[in-house]
Amino acid sequence: MKTKLLATALATLMAVSPAIAETLKMSHVRPQDATIDVELRSFATSVAEATSGSVEIQLFPASALGDYTAVQERISVGALDMATQPAAAAADRRMQISSFPYLAETWAQAQKIYGPGGAVREVMNGLYAEQDITVLAAYPVYFGGIALNVENANPASTEPNGIKVRVPGVKSFQLEGEALGYIPSPIPFSEAFTAVQTGVVDGVIGSGAEGYYASFRDVTKTYIPANTHFEVWYMIISNESLAALSDADQAALKEQAAAFEATRWTVAEADQARNEQRLVDDLGATVAKLTEDDLAAMSAKVRAEVWPQVLEDVGAEWGQAILDKVAAAAE
């Protein structure tokens, strides 16, 4: 009798007790209160509401859990749950395809390439899957540009200008910097600000107006919106962490991630323009005026000189097949 009473009491307690929420830790690369931080907080709220509180997302801004390469590796092995960040080409050189220079030249093209069903998006889904990672959403950030702590008298020229710039340790950016006339110097992101501040380099290639405003605002005097690459981050989750959720919670998480991405595509272009204006209004920086012909000339040179070399790095046949799909979609 006592055993039956105890079992009944336990069953009653379990029925009325609230379910323990699953807390997913998510890393991102920008400071607290930056645009992505604000948007991810809203996303976390939406997920909590959609799952009736059974899934909570805890944000860790400013790479607090490690730089994006280390974070991706930790997600791959299930040591960390989630992140919204650039693809780490150090984990797989083929991931350079995501930041291929001048792959997209307009926002409409970018959405066809990187949005749901796009050629690059599908490839990235597969590359992440090989690392036991699921892509929940893409996060379009901006078209990249060049931030300098000095003046460039002829910002549209691709002739050698003697200006030394920090570039990420990714072959495509190094080659692109040289093709555009700069002296590229691969420097880790964590050391880049100090390198510009102390004059080791004169500027930075690899980010865009939002990134320069967030992380290089005190050393940016000139911004050149050269459309160097299309910056897209990926909201990723460890397959282990995803599998730990109930089927209903998995479906809710994916639905909210799709809505998060869809909203971002509608505001990203205006967000880029707003951040370029912030460089002028808040920092007094000069934003170079480039014409469509200027951008076309930059694109043509980079495509001719850089693309063949990067294709060799990622696998010429593999990479060319993707470029062909991108070209077909743009027609």
Side-chain angles (χ1 to χ4, degrees), residues 143 208-210 223 225 227 271-281 285 287:
F143 278 95
E210 179 271 340
Y223 179 65
N227 288 3
D271 190 49
Q272 174 181 307
R274 181 177 63 85
N275 279 297
E276 289 178 0
Q277 191 60 43
R278 291 175 79 187
L279 292 175
V280 176
D281 295 342
V287 175

Side-chain angles (χ1 to χ4, degrees), residues 230-277:
F230 187 75
E231 181 81 2
V232 59
W233 299 339
Y234 298 92
M235 180 186 289
I236 56 178
I237 184 169
S238 163
N239 284 352
E240 183 178 323
S241 299
L242 184 61
L245 304 179
S246 69
D247 290 346
D249 285 347
Q250 287 187 39
L253 178 63
K254 291 177 180 179
E255 182 179 356
Q256 293 306 313
F260 171 80
E261 176 178 349
T263 298
R264 179 61 192 176
W265 279 111
T266 68
V267 301
E269 184 175 5
D271 190 49
Q272 174 181 307
R274 181 177 63 85
N275 279 297
E276 289 178 0
Q277 191 60 43

Side-chain angles (χ1 to χ4, degrees), residues 21 24 26 49 55 86 103 128 148 151 153 174-175 199-200 210 224 230 244 247 283 319 323:
L24 301 174
M26 179 190 283
E49 292 175 351
V55 178
L103 189 57
Y128 276 114
L148 303 176
E151 291 185 6
Q174 297 171 35
L175 294 170
V200 173
E210 179 271 340
I224 303 171
F230 187 75
D247 290 346
L283 310 184
L323 296 184

Side-chain angles (χ1 to χ4, degrees), residues 94 97 100 123 307-326:
R94 293 175 296 172
I97 198 71
F100 221 71
V123 167
W307 278 22
Q309 297 183 69
V310 180
L311 282 173
E312 288 298 324
D313 198 42
V314 302
E317 185 175 346
W318 178 86
Q320 188 60 55
I322 299 167
L323 296 184
D324 291 343
K325 290 180 180 178
V326 168

Side-chain angles (χ1 to χ4, degrees), residues 155-219:
S157 173
T158 58
E159 294 299 315
N161 54 34
I163 299 174
K164 194 171 185 179
V165 293
R166 175 268 175 183
V167 296
V170 178
K171 189 170 184 176
S172 59
F173 282 108
Q174 297 171 35
L175 294 170
E176 182 181 30
E178 190 172 341
L180 293 178
Y182 296 86
I183 303 171
S185 180
I187 296 174
F189 180 80
S190 59
E191 302 171 18
F193 178 86
T194 302
V196 181
Q197 189 179 46
T198 58
V200 173
V201 293
D202 303 307
V204 185
I205 289 179
S207 191
E210 179 271 340
Y212 296 132
Y213 186 88
S215 303
F216 295 90
R217 69 180 65 185
D218 295 329
V219 291

